[in-house]
Amino acid sequence: MGEVKGFIKYKRQDVGHRQVEKRVHDFNEFDLPLTPDAIRQQAARCMDCGIPFCHGVGCPLNNLIPDINELVYKDQWEQACQMLHATNNFPEITGRVCPAPCESACTLSINDEPVLIRHIEFQIVERGFEHGWIKPMPAPEKTGKRIAIIGSGPAGLAAAQQLARAGHDVVIFEKDERVGGMLRYGIPDFKLEKRIIGRRLDQLAAEGVEFETGVEVGKDISARYLHKMFDCVCLAMGARQPRDLAVTGRGYENILFAMDYLTAQNKLCSDEPIEQAKVVTAKDKVVAVIGGGDTGSDCVGTARRQGAKKIYQFEILPKPPENRSPDTPWPMWPRVMRTSTSVEEGCERRWSIMTKKFSGYETRVGRLHACEVEWIEKNGGWKIKELPGTNFVLDVDLVILALGFLHVEHEGLVGDLGLQLDEKGSVTVNECQTSVPWVFAAGDTVSGASWVATAINSGRGAAAAIDKWLRH
Amino acid sequence: MTLRLKNQGLYETRYEHDACGIGAVVNINGKRDHSIIEYGKEILINLRHRGAAGADEATGDGAGILFQIPHEYFAVECEMLGFSLPEPGQYGVGMVFGSKDGDIRKACDGVLESAVTHYGLKILGWREVPSSNDCLGEIALAAEPSIRQIFVDGNGLKNGSLERKLYLARKRSERLVAEKVGEKGEDFYVTSLSCSTIVYKGMFMAWQLFAYYPDLADERVKSALAIVHQRYSTNTFPNWRLAQPFRCIAHNGELNTLSGNRNAMRAREKKMASEVFGDDITELFPILTPQASDSACFDSALELLVRSGRSMPHAMMMMIPEAFGPKYHISTDKRAFYEYHSAIMEPWDGPAAMVFSDGRLLGGTLDRNGLRPCRYLVTTDGLAIIASETGVVEFPPEKIRTKGRLQPGRMLLVDTIEGRIISDNEIKSKIARQRPYRRWLDENRIELRGLFDTPKLVKSDPRTIAQRMRAFGYTREELKMILTPMAVNGQEPVGSMGNDTPLAVLSDKPKLLFDYFKQLFAQVTNPAIDPLREGLVMSLMVFAGKKQNILDESPRHCRQLKLPHPILSNEDIERLRAVSRDDFKVATISALFDADTEKPAEALRRGLDSLIDSAEKAIKDGASLLIISDRNISQTKAPIPSLLATAAVHHGMLNRGLRNEAGLIVESGEPREIMHFCLLCGYGANAINPFLAFESLDELHRQGELPADMEPIQIADNYIAAIKKGILKTMSKMGISTLRSYTGAQLFEAIGLNRTVVDEYFTGTSSRIGGIGLAEIAQEALARHTSGFQQRPSGVLQLDFGGEYHFRHSGQRHLWNPTTVSRLQHAVQNNDAEAYADYAKAVNEQAKTLCTLRGLFEFVSGEAVDIEEVEPASEIVKRFCTGAMSHGSISKEAHECIAIAMNRLGSMSNTGEGGEDPERYTQEANGDSKNCAIKQIASARFGVTLNYLAHAHQLQIKIAQGAKPGEGGQLPGHKVTEEIARLRYSTPGVTLISPPPHHDIYSIEDLAQLIYDLKCGNPGVTVSVKLVAEVGVGTVAAGVAKGNADEVLISGHDGGTGASPLSSIKHTGCPWELGLAETQQVLVMNNLRDRIRVQVDGQLKTGRDVVVGALLGAERFGFGTAALVTLGCTLLRKCHEGACPFGIGTQDPELRRRFAGKPEYLQRFMYFVAEEVRQLMAKLGFRKFEDMVGRVDKLQMNRAIDHYKAKGLDFSAIFCQPDISDGRAVRCVKAQPNKLEDHIDWEILKQAQPALERKEKTVIEMPIHNTNRTIGTILSNRIVSKYGPAGLPEGTVKIVLHGSAGQSFGAFLAPGVTLRLIGGSNDYLGKGLSGGRIVVSVPEGSPFIAHENIIVGNTLLYGATSGEVFINGVAGERFAVRNSGAIAVVEGVGDHGCEYMTGGTVVVLGKTGCNFAAGMSGGIAYVLDEMQLFDTMCNLDMVELESVWQEHDKELLRDLIGRHLKWTASARAKYILDAWPDMIGKFVKVVPIDYRKALQKMRAAEQRDTETTPATEEVFS
């Protein structure tokens, strides 16, 4: 462990950010990393609990957090880096974008501030790249088995890396022009600069992973072909089917899905070729983001950087409590009021708002009609009730729907393979294996939309299952 | 008919214990007289409280007497029978027990007769021994044998040579009866067959011995000496032969090393040769009768040594050597004598007061620890009396020449022919110089110069080290939590919160074979030793090599390798391997087996066979050291688990008669933690080289995991130091002082190994529930081997984490895990029954994830009843209590919260070992009470005052605790806040030490005495005794029941703790399921269950746990960890760091503010559990809880479990129900008999009424005897109950007593009472003194010099908190042990004076023994040091010495001596005061170092009264 009573001696020191006025003018990352001394103090706060809830229930990857903290405290960064990578293929990504359920499960979070786990992770992996500790780890022996992975998001990449290291030949098929999936096109640059993905992909390539981009399996090549060419297939194409808003006026063209909006900006940032028609900017516009989640926040931050005049963010659920509510007790991921950095940058947030319809001129939306609601518990479920007299109308120039994702897209490959689906529309698996024995699945495809860390863990799980199945 | 104890259920006969009172009387001039027998009778009768009675309260455990053959009497008797006796010394008399069945008896007697004639002796005739059995108890009567005497003519032989023939004849007859008559002949027993002494004994209470044998009353029966013995055993089974004395000795104590001694004796037989026996020697085998008791075995071994030519004192010195370590001032020759003999024989170790006689010499000796009392007295007319107590025979003062005590390791000898007492020095120096032992040693002992110097750099290959570490099962956690602390601090690592991982046999992970064993430890029947403060008696020195004929002495006997300790560095072993001398060869044998196999079991067996064969071959080729090595593991060769290899070679060589031909050294990659080394030694290894552990440390250092500034040499040194300390500690838990006797003693219990493996390789080890066999052992070894030699995929860590100590996702399972902790907390905080159900389900459903034995139990469903009919939860919760957690180990807030909750429920909370704030005895305004119903009495007696006793509903004597049975503890100074210090009567900032044993419980009869004391301290209170489950706990519980305890608590091995060495948490004791079931079985078998309640605790978590406990026999249930979890604990396992962020396990004010627990949480938990119990009761068909107790028929094993290891388990022994067809109770149905009825205090109380009623000054005067125990305590209780802890005004009651006081004189004496004793006293005077005054002075007219004579016994003022004591004479060992406030003046003390003292003032006006002030952390002692040698007697670890120069010191000292003079009229005091200016310079002041610092700081703080910082903060900063 770090220091006995380190948690009393040192207070939690959160990561600083570039000033709002300055950072909203570019799309670059804005975290200001802690100094090495400060990091060591933060690591010293870890108590190396007999039951590390951070590791046991918090972290989806079960990172060996207490051990890693101790190594950092002891200045053994290289070993920390090695240990971090033992459970997490891409700590540079989780170290940036993970909501850090580990921290809300930290024992200290019960009556104090949790250990700064995510940022310690970030520092380790960045130092690792800086010092060249993160090297390709090709398999010592090849098995000769071939595996196709569909989708290059966190789950697909993690599965690919694990399988390559186990000695298998791995090909990733990605329908987009570049590799990364949600990491590349969903997460804005100010949270994850795309060079971060690049250096990791170099490692994967050196370990033998092949990438086939711009190939949509099910369209460009058939499932049958895959079966013929590969020993097995792992589906990791995410859960891209967005939840829609079925209200009058939904058809206006300046009402976008968040993913389309974010993808466009991400491509612009990376100088990727993009059809002009798909470029929608918020510059000088009044923007309404519908949906109060992380994606919604990303849209707010993007719109702010594009130069929006005014940004609203509406959430249909009630405002969460300031502190952890009893229905999500420690060490669970709490329902609690969170204010993202994007919201800090300027946005009017409202809760318990239901959008009732859109109106506009010709093809473009001009007004959003909404009201306040209350949630009533009934027969164990929750019902929405409009609050009378709360109707309001708002002039808007751009509406972004960030209502979450439903499930994997059923059209194409999933349909072609005839995979069994669950009631939510996700692919059903048993130990990562789908109803078709040679097809495995991982990530959001299986779980529905979730965190990056969950996806990486799922990819690792699928890789282990595939490896076992292939060796069996 | 002998009702022999039989192993059944979990009960094993060999764990029976006994203890007792002993005595001897001798006419120094050898004058034979009947009065000697009468004195013997008097001694025995006055020691009766040291014996015990059986379930019928009329059958004694045994008593007997040994004396010289009364020739005069027998001559007449024999004439009447028609035969004449030759001259004394020319005939032998045998006292023979036989069957009541005439035919069987005849057959046996015939065997004896032919054995006698076989040796050329002549049968003179038989005599029926007159007896009158109407005095006997029912049980004794049922077992009564026929008793006859055989008279044998020596046919010209006499004395020594006749004695030898008689010995041969007896041994031959014993063997032949067993062979020819078989089991029917088991009543046949020759108590003695000798031409000089005879033994009368049987299953008696003391008085019955003399009523039964009219011979003993006959005036013509004359002897110059007699030895008597009164037994207290842990069972109620009748067995006449177990009574003592045996042929040579009577023993009070217990030999812990018996199994090792037995094996060693067996190993020696092959080489035994003696001129005096010639070929007949084989008649003597086996030397030790199988299944005989420890004392009987000792007697047999001693007899052999004596009959083959050594003198009895010489043989005694071999078998019970005194400590001869560097701290003892003894002569070089004597040290050489002991060292030489340690190459020949290991000590028979354990507490022992022995009296012995060969008919001419009579002697007494004490073991090196001196843990048994032995007092002697010599009269002016030439009588010497030796006994467990003083005052057993009363003499007028003017007839007493000297009074003394046997000191640890010392001997007292009376030669009746020379007519004098021979002092210890004289006997020993004579024997030590009878041969040139010193020269023999110098010329032969092998020390290979430099071999065991500081270890040098260890070479390791970093490329393959991970591979090897995996192959030997290393985990990252072990490196971090075990090896690193050992290497950095030289200490064994410490942890907290108990153990919640599965037993090895239930674990999915491949476990090392070591993990299938649990350490045994001493509880109650013998004391643990303190390896830190009393380490001077201990030794790790071993001799390894070829052993010679034990019946002979020659220089070659010590031609062996002498090791100062058993750990060899990697360099040592290489050097050793290189040795090649003609008379000292070293051979390495390989402990590997084929890894590449389809049939692991067969491969392993082949490996073992070849290992044993190569050992034999090496020995036959002349090797005197064997190195069992697994260094050469490879892809194709896996290591045989080192323990298996060692035990296999050890037993293999034993069976082939070769074990004594060579020493065993283990060179293995496997051992790394302390338990491993202890096991290897315990199963026969003489030394161990843990090569991979050294390499791993090297690797850790290379990787920067160890402090960079540490030298590799220092790392290895520290590691070895930690192992050494750990081995010493493990030995000490068992009460064993030397590694020589620990080696091969097998003091372990196997859990989860099947019979075949145990019988073949671990012969003699208990393994009661079956388990895995060779196949699974091989499978686990191969799993490790595969993991080692298989390439790890890229990116995977080289070592797995482990997760044995801390939870890890992919590691070992834990019952406390994120789910259970969080669901339980949610349940109690929100009163959420559903969350509790989740929690209970996660704990209870262990069918898939096995963790505990009870997880594998299944209920036998009965006819369900409606839950409405089941006893309400409000009644069930009354059976619950919380574990003993002290205020100190947990915060005030948590401690009080628990008390409030439990009091609201009508349940009981427990103070733990830390005293209690008297403020808590007052009820709160809202009706709540913070007074703990159970008050604990632990070894350091912190805060145990009379007032504390008076406010208890139950007093609990903590003998052991689950997390670290047999060990002491300490509360580091920084945790001793002002508040804690106040409650514990100590000084803030000064470390507090709890010794491993209670210094007033060295035996079962001592426990009975403490129970008696406590009941006097609060008449009407119930007393419980806390034991920890281990094999044999049932017999201890039976002894506890016989000792008048009202409740016995069986704790599981896994119980929580604030701080304990990890090896103790993991490897000591056994699950409560076993301990509880055994306790229930043994209590029922002995028909003692009816009078004692049984409580269980140890990781109890749910209602199911409670129901399982009840069915196995428990009536009450303790919750510890679970209770803390309800109050916020999340098992950080950091209690020992004091950094609990929830304000529970901490004294830090800032953290205590964080405490967020509420009594309601704990109340809810108890109700949730009770409701779960009700549901199960309804399902099982029980309406009343009590009906469920002991219904073991309602349990069965879950057969559906298909776990590759668990499937070999067999629980039939747990589910065994003893025969209860006579309707005996299986639960407590009646109270213990009231033993206080005849207490002398009732009389004192009558006379003290004026004082009690009206505070009038009262003087009472009366005679007393040693049987009057615990005088003044009931009176004190009445005073404090009426007037509060301040008692009566000074000088109100004065009681003058004449005679010898029994034990615990003036225990817990209250203020206002003065006990004035004119005479002497036994042990434990002033125990827990709570403000009273005790004065002991010699009667007028005593001729002896007071300050040279022992006047009071051992262990005075133990745990005294206030009051004063003046003693006009010398006290025994451990004077003022753990005194925390009393003032005492004494004129000399024995060893270990002022041990663990934390406060008070002691003045010693004379000599002290060694080890003065060991562990003394507070208080002041002034010692008159006339010889200026005191510093050599004092343990200077914690104290400093200075002269008395400050005025206030001088004044204080003078004042105290003045008062001593005033109270006792001490000549010594007068002499000193008269020469005050000369004498003051000779005093030495003993001040504890920390104490001085703390006092200075406090004084400084007091002076800075403007400062806002409280003094305590200064102190513990």
Side-chain angles (χ1 to χ4, degrees), chain B residues 42 198 243 373 915 992 1167 1173:
Chain B
E42 199 176 336
I198 188 159
L992 290 175
Y1167 265 94
V1173 170

Side-chain angles (χ1 to χ4, degrees), chain B residues 1316 1337 1368 1459-1470:
Chain B
R1316 216 187 137 147
S1337 51
N1368 179 18
R1459 284 165 65 196
H1460 184 60
L1461 175 63
K1462 182 188 133 204
W1463 281 107
T1464 66
S1466 158
R1468 184 79 170 157
K1470 186 164 185 316

Side-chain angles (χ1 to χ4, degrees), chain B residues 216 375 511 711 732 897 1186 1239 1304 1324 1338 1442 1514:
Chain B
L216 299 178
R375 305 278 292 267
K511 301 292 283 188
E711 294 280 325
S732 74
C897 181
E1186 61 186 34
H1239 199 290
S1304 302
Y1324 317 136
V1338 290
E1442 57 181 57
E1514 282 288 314

Side-chain angles (χ1 to χ4, degrees), chain A residues 159-176:
Chain A
Q161 185 164 48
Q162 290 299 98
L163 287 166
R165 287 175 176 179
H168 307 296
D169 294 328
V170 182
V171 181
I172 293 184
F173 293 92
E174 170 55 56
K175 69 176 186 201
D176 280 313

Side-chain angles (χ1 to χ4, degrees), chain B residues 913-1189:
Chain B
E913 180 185 13
E916 200 175 31
D917 194 334
E919 281 175 14
R920 290 170 63 171
Y921 302 151
T922 324
Q923 215 173 40
E924 303 286 295
N926 66 358
D928 277 337
S929 166
K930 295 175 177 171
N931 180 19
C932 289
I934 305 172
K935 306 214 190 292
Q936 201 176 53
I937 316 293
S939 69
R941 303 290 155 91
F942 295 119
V944 179
T945 63
L946 184 61
N947 195 37
Y948 175 85
L949 301 184
H951 284 87
H953 294 284
Q954 182 169 80
L955 290 168
Q956 181 179 78
I957 302 172
K958 178 178 91 173
I959 297 295
Q961 93 182 64
K964 48 174 173 182
E967 276 177 81
Q970 61 180 42
L971 192 66
H974 66 87
K975 286 192 184 174
V976 184
T977 61
E978 192 182 18
E979 180 183 75
I980 302 278
R982 182 169 53 84
L983 301 182
R984 298 190 177 199
Y985 293 81
S986 70
T987 314
V990 177
T991 297
L992 290 175
I993 297 165
S994 298
H998 285 253
H999 278 294
D1000 55 355
I1001 310 177
Y1002 294 150
S1003 67
I1004 193 99
E1005 78 265 15
D1006 282 347
L1007 176 73
Q1009 175 62 35
L1010 179 58
I1011 292 171
Y1012 185 79
D1013 295 342
L1014 295 177
K1015 288 188 170 181
C1016 290
N1018 181 353
V1021 80
T1022 57
V1023 174
S1024 79
V1025 175
K1026 178 174 178 177
L1027 305 174
V1028 171
E1030 66 173 328
V1031 61
V1033 71
T1035 53
V1036 176
V1040 167
K1042 289 167 83 173
N1044 207 24
D1046 305 283
E1047 184 163 325
V1048 62
L1049 163 56
I1050 305 296
S1051 281
H1053 65 130
D1054 42 8
T1057 169
S1060 169
L1062 289 175
S1063 72
S1064 307
I1065 293 180
K1066 288 287 178 190
H1067 302 299
T1068 315
C1070 73
W1072 61 251
E1073 292 91 322
L1074 285 169
L1076 173 62
E1078 183 190 331
T1079 299
Q1080 174 75 3
Q1081 290 167 15
V1082 177
L1083 287 174
V1084 172
M1085 278 158 61
N1086 284 293
N1087 204 8
L1088 293 166
R1089 184 66 178 88
D1090 55 355
R1091 67 200 69 184
I1092 189 162
R1093 277 197 304 272
V1094 176
Q1095 189 194 148
V1096 68
D1097 72 12
Q1099 295 289 348
L1100 294 184
K1101 294 184 185 68
T1102 65
R1104 182 182 184 274
D1105 290 347
V1106 169
V1107 172
V1108 170
L1111 296 175
L1112 287 178
E1115 283 141 322
R1116 303 215 304 148
F1117 305 86
F1119 297 85
T1121 308
L1124 293 184
V1125 171
T1126 66
L1127 300 180
C1129 168
T1130 62
L1131 283 100
L1132 274 83
R1133 298 187 190 270
K1134 287 288 174 295
C1135 320
H1136 54 290
E1137 312 270 19
C1140 177
F1142 305 113
I1144 300 172
T1146 180
Q1147 300 303 324
D1148 183 326
E1150 182 174 341
L1151 292 172
R1152 277 167 52 191
R1153 275 197 289 278
R1154 299 186 183 205
F1155 179 71
K1158 293 183 182 153
E1160 293 78 13
Y1161 297 167
L1162 184 52
Q1163 287 172 260
R1164 284 172 193 157
F1165 171 69
M1166 294 295 178
Y1167 265 94
F1168 283 140
V1169 172
E1171 286 299 342
E1172 191 192 339
V1173 170
R1174 292 183 69 231
Q1175 283 162 18
L1176 287 168
M1177 282 171 69
K1179 220 177 273 177
L1180 290 170
F1182 292 110
R1183 290 180 180 83
K1184 300 287 285 176
F1185 195 99
E1186 61 186 34
D1187 297 336
M1188 198 160 56
V1189 175

Side-chain angles (χ1 to χ4, degrees), chain B residues 718-844:
Chain B
N718 282 352
Y719 178 66
I720 293 176
I723 299 170
K724 283 159 62 182
K725 285 182 207 167
I727 296 177
L728 284 175
K729 190 202 66 192
T730 309
M731 282 164 32
S732 74
K733 283 192 235 182
M734 212 35 232
I736 291 176
S737 308
T738 70
L739 183 64
R740 298 189 293 287
S741 38
Y742 187 78
T743 305
Q746 309 194 154
L747 294 162
F748 299 89
E749 167 180 14
I751 294 185
L753 292 184
N754 75 23
R755 207 58 261 168
T756 325
V757 172
V758 171
D759 284 348
E760 185 161 3
Y761 300 108
F762 301 97
T763 324
T765 304
S766 292
S767 182
R768 299 178 292 172
I769 51 167
I772 65 169
L774 269 195
E776 290 79 13
I777 294 174
Q779 202 177 330
E780 295 199 304
L782 287 179
R784 285 189 290 272
H785 181 262
T786 310
S787 146
F789 284 89
Q790 210 170 48
Q791 180 88 36
R792 295 223 137 181
S794 305
V796 176
L797 290 179
Q798 285 297 312
L799 279 187
D800 295 332
F801 184 84
E804 185 64 45
Y805 301 96
H806 282 186
F807 172 88
R808 286 296 181 275
H809 181 256
S810 57
Q812 190 58 268
R813 281 190 306 276
H814 285 255
L815 271 179
W816 287 117
N817 53 45
T819 312
T820 50
V821 169
S822 57
R823 290 319 280 162
L824 177 58
Q825 292 193 343
H826 188 68
V828 299
Q829 286 165 10
N830 301 293
N831 205 7
D832 183 341
E834 219 170 284
Y836 175 81
D838 291 347
Y839 154 80
K841 192 172 167 211
V843 174
N844 291 338

Side-chain angles (χ1 to χ4, degrees), chain A residues 124-203:
Chain A
I124 294 168
V125 64
E126 287 307 318
R127 197 182 277 229
F129 275 110
E130 194 182 316
H131 287 80
W133 298 330
I134 300 169
K135 290 193 275 265
M137 292 192 278
E141 286 163 18
K142 298 295 259 181
T143 62
K145 304 280 186 186
R146 285 175 58 75
I147 300 146
I149 292 176
I150 318 302
S152 66
L157 291 176
Q161 185 164 48
Q162 290 299 98
L163 287 166
R165 287 175 176 179
H168 307 296
D169 294 328
V170 182
V171 181
I172 293 184
F173 293 92
E174 170 55 56
K175 69 176 186 201
D176 280 313
E177 288 308 317
R178 294 194 188 178
V179 172
M182 204 55 130
L183 302 176
R184 182 173 296 278
Y185 297 111
I187 303 173
D189 265 42
F190 56 82
K191 279 169 71 178
L192 176 67
E193 290 175 11
K194 298 305 172 284
R195 63 181 176 88
I196 302 299
I197 303 174
R199 61 188 185 184
R200 183 60 77 177
L201 293 178
D202 292 345
Q203 186 198 31

